[in-house]
Structures are given as structure tokens and as C-alpha cells.
Amino acid sequence: MKDDSTVFVGLDVHKDSIMVAYSVGLGEVEVLGKIGTRAADIDRLCKRVQSKASNVVFVYEAGPCGYGLHRQLSAKGYPCMVCAPSLIPRKPGERVKTDRRDAAKLVRALRAGDLSPVHVPTVEDEAFRDLVRAWGAAKQDLKQARQRLKAFLLVHDVRYTGRADWGSAHRRWISSYSFDSHWQQLAFEEYRRTIEDRLAQCERLETALREMAPQWRFYPVVETLQALRGIQFTSAIGLLAELGDLSRFDHPRQLTAWLGLTPSEHSSGQRRRLGSITKAGNGHARHLMVEAAWSYRHPAKVSPAIQRRHDGLPKAIIDRAWDAQLRLCKRYRRLVTRGKHPNVAVIAIARELAAFVWDIARMTSNLPGSQTNAH
């Protein structure tokens, strides 16, 4: 055993197998081959690489197999990085991809320090995020079911004279309409039943979220984020489920970069060229932030709904939320007046709104009795 060396181990993880490559220090990268995914297989791998050096560091790509392997290795005391696949360096013109090459590439990138780790949530946070994502998937299914029914009615030239916003009047009209053909009526009823089923599913999941959210360690931040205009319960809890512990970001610029809201850049010499946003990181959290930013196109005011969300919140949080309204509403009008497209202006507002979200989360963690950073 070489006590002064480190073994870098790259794992190309699949559902039923793991391809393993390693190097001792800066030595040649060697491929161990495939192993199984059972706990006994991981134990044998750890003993084998531990015999080569005193320090062992593992790495594998984030993917559909989740964080179970990371937690298993961390429990044994081994450092393990879960890296972002989209940020792994790739050689231009490289056209051959195999499991052996992927594992060896991870080893070289790990020892060179070229990999970007992803945030690994705790077991409790991941479980709550699964519930939030199930609610989001149900909402998306509901949207698609409504689109299918609208398309079916349009094909048969069935038009609603009012506003088709799925309000009570619109739903009553749909429930009272009938087709002359038995076959068309049967298809119509199935489309309607799908919508009702998805509505019931969304209601069940939202009820479960409201019941269980007070038990979550980030619930104080969920409450304070609702002081911001455009962020209600469902959007606040969706943001926190995806973002996790905001204290891991030392500066709001890190959060906006993680959300993919920073402009792309292609500069050379004295020439600096900015492009569209990078769209890196979590797409769902970015979508929620942009949707919230649209509310700042209207003049700043405290509506009755926002006033209800302010009840019981500390004055410092309410004042910060009002500062956000004054700044962001004014900035949106200024950008549009300068000729910016509303979509471009809203992205700029979303970027600044993320900074206010970071600041309010920081203020919440500093409140007396806060448990957001207890874990």
C-alpha cells in the first residue's frame, strides 16, 4: 500500500452494472471491469481499491440511478462526488463512446479538478421533492388533458362563445354538451373523465403537501418567500424542493448561475458579446422563477392576497419584499420603455428576483428559532 497516494475511482453507473476505472495518483488509468450493483459488490470494490492506497475518492455521473451509491460510499467514509454530466469536458471530434472510456474519462477529469459536483439532497429532502414533483407531473397531465379535449372540440367545430378558461361556466357548458354520434360521444366522455381524474389527483397531492409541509425543515423559508409578489405556496414549495438549502450559495450570483438565468458570453480580446441565458441547472426551478417574474410587469402594490400572506411574518421580511416590488416593477417598465421585448425584460426580472429569494432565505435562517440549517 502507498500511504502517500490517492486512488481516483471513476464509476460509469447503469441499472444492473457498474464499469470501474482507477488510477493511483497521477499514474496510468486502469480499467477494473464491470461489477454488480449489490451492496456486497460495492464492499468488494472498496476493499480492492483500498489496498492500493490510503486515500480513495470516487466519482460518478448524476443520472437515473439516483444518489443511493453516493450515500452507500459516504456511509463507509469514502469521499464521493456526483458530477454534472453536461459539464464534463469533452474533446472536439470525439466519436467513440463506451463504458470503459467513460469511466476512464471520469478518473482523468476528477484528478485534474475539471468536474462540477451536483448538490446531493438529504433522504428527507429528496422524499419531499418526490412528492412535489408528483404534484407537478399531475398538473402537467391536467394541462395536456385539457389541450386534447380542446383540440377534439375544435376538430368538430364545437366552439365556446365565452372565455374558455376552465372556470365554472366553461365546465358547465362542457358537461352539458353532447354529440349526435354515439362513438363521438363516448370519446368526448373519456376526454372529460380524464380531466376530472387529473383534477382530483392534483387536489389530493396539494392537500398532502399543505398537510406535510409544516414538518419539513425548510417550511419557515416557504412561509417567508410567500411575502414576495408572484410566489404563492405551490411555487414557494416547488422552488425550495428543487433548490434545497440556499445557504450553500455564498452569493446570489451563484444561485442565478445555477438556475441558468445568467447571460451566455462569447468574448475575445477587446470584444465582449453576451447572448441568451445559459439555461443550465434546474429547468423546473427556472420556470417557476420566470412565471413569478411576470407579476412584476404591473405597478407595485400590496393586494389583499399578498396582505394575507404577510400576516404573521417579521417586519424585516415584509419590508424586503416591498423593496423587491419597488425595484423590479420599476426595472421592468424601464426595460420595456428602452425597447426591450417583454420576454427579455421578464428574464432580467427573474434574475434579480432570484437574488431577493436568496436574501430572504438568508434572513429567515438568521431569525431566532430557525431550524432551516439544523441538518
Side-chain angles (χ1 to χ4, degrees):
M1 180 185 293
K2 300 179 181 180
D3 293 333
D4 58 345
S5 300
T6 298
V7 181
F8 300 96
V9 185
L11 307 174
D12 191 46
V13 182
H14 299 278
K15 180 178 68 173
D16 299 318
S17 64
I18 302 174
M19 178 63 72
V20 183
Y22 76 94
S23 73
V24 180
L26 299 178
E28 184 179 354
V29 177
E30 300 184 30
V31 178
L32 282 180
K34 286 187 177 181
I35 64 171
T37 58
R38 300 174 303 172
D41 299 321
I42 304 301
D43 291 341
R44 284 194 293 270
L45 171 65
C46 292
K47 291 179 182 178
R48 188 172 178 180
V49 296
Q50 185 69 70
S51 66
K52 301 181 182 300
S54 57
N55 301 317
V56 182
V57 182
F58 291 89
V59 64
Y60 69 95
E61 297 180 32
C65 295
Y67 305 114
L69 180 58
H70 173 275
R71 294 181 179 126
Q72 187 175 352
L73 292 170
S74 298
K76 295 178 179 296
Y78 296 106
C80 180
M81 176 193 294
V82 184
C83 65
S86 61
L87 298 179
I88 296 176
R90 287 176 172 81
K91 295 179 181 179
E94 190 175 30
R95 293 292 182 270
V96 179
K97 181 185 182 302
T98 64
D99 293 348
R100 296 170 64 91
R101 287 186 173 223
D102 288 345
K105 184 191 297 184
L106 286 173
V107 173
R108 296 188 184 97
L110 175 63
R111 69 188 186 186
D114 292 336
L115 297 178
S116 300
V118 301
H119 173 64
V120 179
T122 65
V123 175
E124 180 189 21
D125 292 344
E126 186 178 20
F128 196 81
R129 187 183 66 183
D130 289 339
L131 181 61
V132 174
R133 287 183 174 179
W135 175 82
K139 293 286 287 185
Q140 185 64 27
D141 291 343
L142 173 62
K143 179 181 177 180
Q144 293 175 355
R146 286 171 167 173
Q147 288 174 340
R148 284 193 293 268
L149 179 56
K150 278 189 171 183
F152 177 78
L153 295 175
L154 184 60
V155 164
H156 298 289
D157 199 28
V158 178
R159 303 172 185 271
Y160 179 59
T161 56
R163 184 178 178 183
D165 57 356
W166 300 100
S168 56
H170 185 209
R171 293 175 64 185
R172 281 196 304 270
W173 175 83
I174 290 177
S175 62
S176 62
Y177 190 85
S178 61
F179 286 86
D180 295 333
S181 170
H182 171 69
W183 297 338
Q184 288 178 342
Q185 182 64 27
L186 182 58
F188 177 59
E189 292 297 333
E190 287 298 327
Y191 282 130
R192 283 187 56 241
R193 288 190 60 185
T194 301
I195 293 175
E196 297 301 326
D197 291 344
R198 297 288 77 77
L199 275 172
Q201 183 184 22
C202 290
E203 290 176 0
R204 289 196 304 271
L205 287 170
E206 186 170 345
T207 300
L209 283 174
R210 291 187 179 276
E211 291 177 353
M212 299 176 185
Q215 306 170 27
W216 192 31
R217 65 179 178 127
F218 293 129
Y219 184 66
V221 185
V222 172
E223 287 188 307
T224 54
L225 285 186
Q226 294 180 66
L228 289 166
R229 184 175 185 171
I231 299 183
Q232 301 179 5
F233 173 79
T234 50
S235 54
I237 210 165
L239 278 172
L240 265 298
E242 300 296 338
L243 296 174
D245 189 0
L246 288 174
S247 64
R248 61 193 174 95
F249 300 106
D250 296 328
H251 194 276
R253 280 195 295 267
Q254 296 178 357
L255 174 58
T256 56
W258 188 87
L259 289 169
L261 290 171
T262 55
S264 57
E265 182 174 351
H266 184 79
S267 301
S268 180
Q270 301 300 320
R271 186 174 185 178
R272 184 169 184 257
R273 180 181 297 173
L274 298 179
S276 59
I277 59 173
T278 62
K279 293 188 178 180
N282 192 291
H284 182 59
R286 181 172 61 254
H287 171 75
L288 291 173
M289 196 67 70
V290 172
E291 288 298 309
W294 277 106
S295 64
Y296 292 91
R297 68 188 187 274
H298 305 295
K301 70 173 184 178
V302 178
S303 66
I306 296 177
Q307 185 63 56
R308 286 193 295 270
R309 300 204 300 267
H310 284 178
D311 291 344
L313 296 181
K315 185 177 184 301
I317 299 294
I318 297 173
D319 292 343
R320 196 65 176 133
W322 179 243
D323 292 341
Q325 276 214 60
L326 292 176
R327 176 176 174 81
L328 299 182
C329 293
K330 180 180 179 181
R331 179 164 170 76
Y332 177 85
R333 291 194 302 272
R334 186 167 62 248
L335 289 172
V336 172
T337 303
R338 285 168 48 190
K340 295 292 185 181
H341 191 280
N343 292 348
V344 176
V346 163
I347 294 298
I349 298 305
R351 185 162 52 247
E352 290 202 28
L353 179 60
F356 280 103
V357 167
W358 176 88
D359 192 37
I360 286 182
R362 179 189 58 83
M363 294 171 64
T364 305
S365 64
N366 293 330
L367 292 175
S370 176
Q371 300 295 321
T372 57
N373 294 324
H375 292 209

